[in-house]
């Protein structure tokens, strides 16, 4: 498999008053096409900053970010916005659905930016909602649905435009344990069925266990990189010193 995401010597430094805070310190790794990867870490570990970097929402202080062999940290705001619309889907902890429109319209939203005509995007949105078990909820608005149902809409929306990568930021943070299992199994199934790269960001090891690979951060550095071996399902551990990609 080829690398869908490659990060080289990524550094992010924030200025807080007269002090400098290092959020990411020389982080390097690659994620293969179709891989389900979890970025695991406690609050302050740098995982949210890393997600923002990968999604092109923030610029690194130094380093390179290649997605599908394109240097996104070099892109201007207009270009990175177009790149996200074409290549990236998002699943959010707080769902981020538009409350004034239906589930069908929420799922169809990314297709509008892709220039898909209404008849076709409504058909795609309906099929996506059916895939997540919500064919009877297409006309419901978010306020008429449970948290788990709203997150299913969010998952359907994330995959609707057939993005190459789906980023999920604490996707089960607002759900109970039973719904968490249902949502995680659904998201993994959708990723595998559509052969999409899925990057999860979480502090929860139970959530991380759904991934093919777990990259753990602490104080802005990779402290472990754990990948399941497809042959015997055992875990191979590579520490940060070995996971850096040379220039």
């Amino acid at each position: 498999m080829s690398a869908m995401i490659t990060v080289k010597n990524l550094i992010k430094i924030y200025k807080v008053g007269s002090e400098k805070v290092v959020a990411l310190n020389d982080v390097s790794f690659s994620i293969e096409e179709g891989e389900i990867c979890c970025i695991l870490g406690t609050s302050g570990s740098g995982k949210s900053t890393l997600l923002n970097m990968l999604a092109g929402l923030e610029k690194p202080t130094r380093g390179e970010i290649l997605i599908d062999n394109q240097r996104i940290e070099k892109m201007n705001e207009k270009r990175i916005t177009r790149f996200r619309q074409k290549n990236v889907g998002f699943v959010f902890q707080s769902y981020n659905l538009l409350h004034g429109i239906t589930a069908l319209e929420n799922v169809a939203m990314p297709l509008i930016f892709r220039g898909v005509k209404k008849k076709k995007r409504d058909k795609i949105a309906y099929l996506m909602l059916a895939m997540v078990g919500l064919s009877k909820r297409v006309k419901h608005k978010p306020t008429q649905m449970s948290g788990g149902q709203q997150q299913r809409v969010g998952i359907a929306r994330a995959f609707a435009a057939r993005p190459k990568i789906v980023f999920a930021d604490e996707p089960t943070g607002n759900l109970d344990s039973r719904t968490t299992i249902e949502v995680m199994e659904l998201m993994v199934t959708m990723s595998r069925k559509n052969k999409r790269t899925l990057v999860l960001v979480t502090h929860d090891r139970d959530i991380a266990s759904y991934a093919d690979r777990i990259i753990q951060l602490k104080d802005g550095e990779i402290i472990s990189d754990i990948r399941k071996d497809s042959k015997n399902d055992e875990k191979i551990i590579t520490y940060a010193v070995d996971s850096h990609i040379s220039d």
Side-chain angles (χ1 to χ4, degrees):
M1 288 187 181
S2 58
M4 177 57 68
I5 300 172
T6 301
V7 173
K8 297 182 179 181
N9 308 114
L10 199 65
I11 295 173
K12 181 63 179 180
I13 300 173
Y14 294 104
K15 289 185 178 180
V16 182
S18 59
E19 296 185 3
K20 292 182 179 180
V21 177
V22 179
L24 294 173
N25 185 21
D26 198 27
V27 171
S28 297
F29 60 89
S30 62
I31 298 174
E32 294 179 355
E33 183 180 356
E35 189 170 32
I36 298 175
C37 181
C38 176
I39 309 297
L40 176 67
T42 57
S43 178
S45 63
K47 65 183 187 300
S48 294
T49 299
L50 178 57
L51 178 66
N52 288 339
M53 301 286 117
L54 297 179
L57 299 172
E58 290 187 54
K59 298 282 188 182
T61 304
R62 289 193 295 277
E64 299 178 11
I65 304 170
L66 290 89
I67 296 184
D68 200 23
N69 293 316
Q70 298 186 60
R71 290 277 300 275
I72 67 166
E73 90 282 357
K74 294 288 187 180
M75 296 179 183
N76 60 30
E77 192 59 37
K78 186 176 182 180
R79 190 177 170 199
I80 192 65
T81 298
R82 289 178 178 172
F83 181 84
R84 280 196 297 265
Q85 289 172 353
K86 184 178 179 181
N87 297 286
V88 178
F90 292 93
V91 179
F92 303 94
Q93 176 178 347
S94 55
Y95 322 132
N96 281 28
L97 302 178
L98 297 177
H99 286 189
I101 62 177
T102 65
L104 187 77
E105 291 167 325
N106 268 286
V107 174
M109 188 67 66
L111 298 167
I112 295 175
F113 300 114
R114 296 284 291 273
V116 179
K117 292 182 179 180
K118 186 178 187 305
K119 185 176 180 179
K120 185 175 181 180
R121 67 175 183 256
D122 284 352
K123 181 179 179 181
I124 293 170
Y126 179 84
L127 289 173
M128 295 304 299
L129 284 167
M131 287 179 69
V132 301
L134 292 177
S135 59
K136 295 181 179 180
R137 297 277 181 171
V138 294
K139 294 184 179 180
H140 285 65
K141 294 181 179 180
T143 52
Q144 298 172 303
M145 293 184 283
S146 67
Q149 289 170 340
Q150 289 184 65
Q151 193 59 295
R152 284 173 179 264
V153 175
I155 292 168
R157 178 185 58 187
F159 285 93
R162 298 179 62 83
K164 293 180 180 178
I165 303 167
V166 172
F167 292 115
D169 185 10
E170 298 281 6
T172 62
N174 290 336
L175 305 177
D176 59 44
S177 57
R178 179 181 175 182
T179 309
T180 289
I181 294 171
E182 293 174 354
V183 165
M184 286 306 305
E185 289 179 349
L186 175 61
M187 198 153 42
V188 168
T189 299
M190 294 282 283
S191 299
R192 297 206 191 285
K193 184 173 183 178
N194 294 281
K195 298 180 181 178
R196 298 296 180 249
T197 304
L198 174 63
V199 181
L200 298 162
V201 174
T202 185
H203 67 281
D204 190 333
R205 288 186 176 275
D206 289 337
I207 301 303
S209 68
Y210 285 87
D212 302 321
R213 178 180 174 196
I214 303 170
I215 298 174
Q216 186 173 1
L217 293 181
K218 183 178 181 180
D219 298 330
E221 298 182 352
I222 296 176
I223 60 170
S224 68
D225 187 345
I226 305 172
R227 191 195 301 267
K228 287 183 181 178
D229 179 29
S230 59
K231 292 182 179 180
N232 56 24
D233 207 35
E234 291 179 355
K235 294 182 178 179
I236 302 171
I237 301 177
T238 305
Y239 288 96
V241 67
D242 298 320
S243 65
H244 283 196
I245 303 168
S246 58
D247 294 328

